Amino acid sequence: MKRVLGMGEIMIQMNPVERGSLKFQQTFERHIAGSEGNVIIQMQRLGIPCGFITAVGDDEFGQVIVSALRAEGVDTGPIKTDAAHPTAVYFVQRSYPIPGKTTVRYYRKGSAASFFSEKDLDPSWFEGTELFHVSGITPALGPEAKKAAISAVEMAKSAGARISFDTNIRINLLKDTETAHACLDEFIQAADILFSGSGDIAHLFPQGNGQEELLKMAKNSRTVVIKRGGEGATAYEDNSEFHCDALKVEVIDELGAGDAFDGAFLASVLSGKSTETALMYGNAAGAITVGLKGDIEPLPTWSELGVFLKWYGREDSGLLR
Ligand code: KDG
């Protein structure tokens, strides 16, 4: 099987033991997380050989990130260690003030990944790559990271890879509609597989029918998947539309659910499963992920997905093919 390559920033995540306002949290668990890295780890756990492009600082946290990826079997060859900039850190606030909602505070300005530049890319990394995945977070990190992400998409395309892009708008990074369009439009237009969500669509197209506008902008995409949280997910492909309802589960930590979805959807597609089945596995991976703290720890294997779907009575749906 050819490999998948992802690109983005992986950070140290400080996740409080308790729910509630960050002001009053005394004890934190250390995790590692970052959207594209989460997607790649999910795919690797589902048997797809993956590699990851990023930069980490020349510090203990950078070593933790590289070791974690290696332990998963992800190729860390394309990871740069940057002695001039640190590995980023962020803090999580769970279930406050809105129950079940997670918010984040970043300490990532000037991070190693935000200074990853197009000069750091090596075209040989893309040889034999079937799919390249990046999200709207990476170009939003700064001008260097944006140029690097554009070049990486070009290199991936020249190597014959498909492009997977998740709009992944983080309001702390792309505050308004204009900034979001300036950052994301060319990636949306370059994507073969595009993921977005109801919140991102509302941010990008505050007026009119946002979904129609997005589908128009994504006219080059073979598949557009819209994640609708508790309402499930819908895929648009040629003239067909497929929908899968969400599974109702208790939410402990929402972070990483969208990435688990992307990873399980993409791994399903690359394993030859139908789009409907890919949606179901994506939903299941997302549902498993919201039930635990940390983005990467809950990411399931095929057999864990099977156990979960069986528990929810979905194994008889005729979709597991
Ligand atoms: O998708 C979850 C991620 O958003 C989160 O864990 C951290 O990558 C991250 C970001 O930039 O917010």
Side-chain angles (χ1 to χ4, degrees), residues 9-11 13 33-36 38 90 104 106 108 137 141 168 170 173 254-259 295:
E9 176 163 53
I10 302 182
M11 298 174 281
Q13 180 197 78
S35 176
E36 296 92 335
N38 301 340
Y90 75 111
V104 299
Y106 298 132
R108 74 193 310 183
I137 295 174
L141 293 178
N168 238 349
R170 297 294 178 264
L173 300 174
E254 294 178 300
L255 284 188
D259 308 325
D295 296 22

Side-chain angles (χ1 to χ4, degrees), residues 16 58 63 88 103 124 128 132 233 261 284 302 319:
D58 189 6
Q63 288 164 20
T103 47
S124 74
F132 174 72
F261 179 100
W302 286 120
L319 289 173

Side-chain angles (χ1 to χ4, degrees), residues 13 15-16 90-105 251-256 290 292-293 295:
Q13 180 197 78
N15 202 320
Y90 75 111
F91 288 78
V92 172
Q93 173 171 278
R94 290 185 296 113
S95 272
Y96 189 83
I98 303 172
K101 289 278 160 215
T102 302
T103 47
V104 299
R105 176 162 289 281
V251 178
I252 300 294
D253 178 4
E254 294 178 300
L255 284 188
V290 299
L292 289 176
K293 271 183 278 174
D295 296 22

Side-chain angles (χ1 to χ4, degrees), residues 38-304:
N38 301 340
V39 173
I40 287 302
I41 291 173
Q42 175 64 92
M43 295 185 79
Q44 182 82 37
R45 282 194 194 165
L46 294 175
I48 310 283
C50 294
F52 199 67
I53 304 173
T54 192
V56 294
D58 189 6
D59 46 34
E60 287 74 8
F61 287 158
Q63 288 164 20
V64 169
I65 288 168
V66 175
S67 306
L69 288 170
R70 269 196 203 130
E72 296 290 336
V74 174
D75 173 15
T76 57
I79 299 186
K80 175 185 170 182
T81 301
D82 177 348
H85 302 100
T87 304
V89 176
Y90 75 111
F91 288 78
V92 172
Q93 173 171 278
R94 290 185 296 113
S95 272
Y96 189 83
I98 303 172
K101 289 278 160 215
T102 302
T103 47
V104 299
R105 176 162 289 281
Y106 298 132
Y107 293 84
R108 74 193 310 183
K109 205 161 193 274
S111 68
S114 70
F115 279 99
F116 188 91
S117 102
E118 55 186 329
K119 289 191 243 58
D120 296 319
L121 291 166
D122 180 342
S124 74
W125 295 338
F126 296 84
E127 283 161 22
T129 295
E130 184 167 9
L131 185 100
F132 174 72
H133 177 78
V134 68
S135 91
I137 295 174
T138 300
L141 293 178
E144 289 290 331
K146 183 178 175 195
K147 271 192 259 155
I150 292 169
S151 281
V153 166
E154 283 161 5
M155 286 180 190
K157 276 195 183 269
S158 310
R162 280 188 277 171
I163 308 300
S164 158
F165 182 71
D166 191 321
T167 53
N168 238 349
I169 295 179
R170 297 294 178 264
I171 224 76
N172 304 357
L173 300 174
L174 297 175
K175 289 198 169 31
D176 53 61
T177 298
E178 291 66 38
T179 326
H181 278 291
C183 199
L184 305 184
D185 287 4
E186 58 192 299
F187 291 94
I188 294 174
Q189 283 152 2
D192 298 292
I193 302 178
L194 176 71
F195 297 98
S196 194
S198 327
D200 286 10
I201 292 175
H203 191 71
L204 281 167
F205 305 102
Q207 261 105 48
N209 185 333
Q211 182 175 304
E212 254 174 38
E213 294 296 319
L214 180 77
L215 290 173
K216 239 189 273 164
M217 187 178 280
K219 60 180 187 313
N220 301 325
S221 303
R222 156 102 176 89
T223 308
V224 178
V225 181
I226 312 233
K227 294 174 276 183
R228 307 180 193 281
E231 261 87 70
T234 317
Y236 300 86
E237 219 165 57
D238 305 322
N239 292 321
S240 309
E241 182 178 324
F242 307 97
H243 181 79
C244 187
D245 286 334
L247 294 145
K248 304 283 174 234
V249 289
E250 189 198 357
V251 178
I252 300 294
D253 178 4
E254 294 178 300
L255 284 188
D259 308 325
F261 179 100
D262 294 3
F265 183 92
L266 292 169
S268 300
V269 169
L270 293 180
S271 312
K273 300 187 192 320
S274 71
T275 303
E276 286 161 288
T277 304
L279 283 173
M280 187 186 58
Y281 279 121
N283 269 346
I288 293 172
T289 301
V290 299
L292 289 176
K293 271 183 278 174
D295 296 22
I296 64 166
E297 291 79 357
L299 299 173
T301 60
W302 286 120
S303 86
E304 289 156 353

